[in-house]
Amino acid sequence: MLENRHLRYFIEVARSLHVRRAAERLHIAQPALTQNIQQLESELGVELFHRESRHLRLTEAGQIFLAEAEQSLRQFDHAQKSAQRAARGEVGKIVLGFQSTAGLSVVPNLLQNFRTEFPEVEVTLIESGSTAQKRALRSGEIDIGLVYALPDAGFAYRELEPESLVIALPEDHPLAAKDSVAIAELPQEAFILSSNSAAEVLRHAVMTECADAGFQPKRVQEITTVQTALGLVSARFGISILPASVQVLLRRGVILRPIRDSRIQVGLTFLWMKDNRSPVLANLVKCL
């Protein structure tokens, strides 16, 4: 059976046309090299060398086989290096799910760092809510998710630094003139909030703030993205309570104010399956 060593041995002999010198370069005994060349010729059923006393010449078959053998070894070396790079997570693919708020700064910063370190990894992004991301993680549709949610059994996770919440008001709202707004000032307002399936931790934090202030919102419009929330606020559809990171967005007709005397913060969490052994995922986690 032909092996790569037969090709390597043949190429060295074909280049030097001298068995002893080839054996020295290959660091094997001359009889062993001769035996391997004979095995190769026997397997192929052709003579690769003209043997004239102590001199060797490639036969026509040997000349053709040399070109093919060199190409074959180049392809094998390339395949070997590609496999090794894949095992190190330097090439491959990864799918990242993320909440809309995470797309403002966390995801761009992560991608910049990751692609600097691993420029040949293909990254696919899917924007969706926390429930959808958990489902996609279990099915293998995404490799890692960035959510306002708590980890379930089977998930590994990394929590990011929590941030405070702000109130988004229409610019002509009576409370917009204040430097800060207390939750207790909002019992009659229509709330524009993330649904529980979109951002469970954020929704729970807002409802907790309201409960601590002695009320529950009477009217709630559920949304899935911060862009939609700000759009509805600008249309005077209601007010919204959002992570402070939305301050990087400038939306005409919307005023953002800090919540007075609030101690509640929310943080995004990276989730991935504990049994996911992808080296690309491992490298991304190192960049978090």
Side-chain angles (χ1 to χ4, degrees):
M1 180 179 295
L2 292 182
E3 299 179 13
N4 274 339
R5 62 182 172 85
H6 290 105
L7 300 184
R8 290 190 292 105
Y9 292 173
F10 164 74
I11 290 171
E12 191 59 49
V13 174
R15 287 172 177 170
S16 64
L17 294 177
H18 198 287
V19 176
R20 180 178 58 79
R21 284 198 293 269
E24 291 173 352
R25 290 172 183 167
L26 292 167
H27 303 290
I28 63 172
Q30 183 174 334
L33 177 57
T34 298
Q35 184 179 29
N36 274 273
I37 297 300
Q38 291 172 345
Q39 289 174 349
L40 176 61
E41 290 179 316
S42 175
E43 186 70 25
L44 295 174
V46 299
E47 288 189 351
L48 299 173
F49 296 97
H50 292 297
R51 294 167 174 82
E52 302 168 354
S53 184
R54 295 185 178 181
H55 301 287
L56 296 178
R57 286 189 303 110
L58 284 170
T59 64
E60 183 174 346
Q63 294 173 8
I64 297 298
F65 188 72
L66 175 61
E68 296 292 339
E70 289 175 330
Q71 182 179 355
S72 178
L73 277 189
R74 284 194 297 270
Q75 291 174 336
F76 178 79
D77 288 343
H78 176 73
Q80 183 180 41
K81 291 176 182 177
S82 295
Q84 292 169 343
R85 296 187 66 209
R88 294 192 297 267
E90 297 173 2
V91 294
K93 300 179 180 180
I94 192 166
V95 183
L96 167 65
F98 67 100
Q99 306 258 187
S100 61
T101 310
L104 301 178
S105 59
V106 177
V107 170
N109 291 338
L110 172 61
L111 289 179
Q112 185 175 22
N113 294 336
F114 182 70
R115 300 190 80 169
T116 298
E117 291 291 325
F118 306 99
E120 295 185 55
V121 173
E122 180 182 335
V123 181
T124 300
L125 302 176
I126 297 179
E127 183 177 354
S128 61
S130 57
T131 299
Q133 286 191 54
K134 287 182 177 181
R135 185 168 57 247
L137 284 167
R138 293 189 183 96
S139 68
E141 182 182 352
I142 66 174
D143 299 294
I144 187 169
L146 183 54
V147 296
Y148 286 113
L150 299 175
D152 298 339
F155 288 129
Y157 65 96
R158 178 79 57 83
E159 295 177 331
L160 299 186
E161 191 72 23
E163 57 181 320
S164 58
L165 302 176
V166 296
I167 298 176
L169 302 160
E171 63 181 358
D172 58 357
H173 194 285
L175 295 174
K178 295 189 173 185
D179 292 333
S180 63
V181 178
I183 291 292
E185 298 177 87
L186 305 174
Q188 303 305 317
E189 300 291 339
F191 279 66
I192 301 166
L193 301 177
S194 296
S195 64
N196 196 60
S197 63
E200 60 187 73
V201 169
L202 177 58
R203 175 63 174 259
H204 178 72
V206 173
M207 299 307 286
T208 299
E209 285 276 68
C210 293
D212 290 346
F215 74 95
Q216 289 296 313
K218 295 178 180 179
R219 293 174 293 161
V220 175
Q221 172 61 51
E222 294 189 339
I223 47 87
T224 58
T225 70
V226 293
Q227 291 84 353
T228 299
L230 294 175
L232 293 179
V233 171
S234 71
R236 302 179 181 85
F237 197 80
I239 62 97
S240 188
I241 300 179
L242 301 166
S245 56
V246 302
Q247 294 176 95
V248 301
L249 293 177
L250 297 177
R251 179 75 191 212
R252 185 176 180 180
V254 177
I255 298 295
L256 299 177
R257 291 290 180 260
I259 302 175
R260 189 163 61 249
D261 299 325
S262 174
R263 292 177 296 175
I264 293 183
Q265 294 183 316
V266 297
L268 286 160
T269 300
F270 280 98
L271 300 178
W272 63 95
M273 300 304 296
K274 289 181 179 178
D275 59 359
N276 190 330
R277 298 291 182 259
S278 165
V280 175
L281 173 61
N283 287 338
L284 181 66
V285 171
K286 292 176 183 177
C287 291
L288 300 182

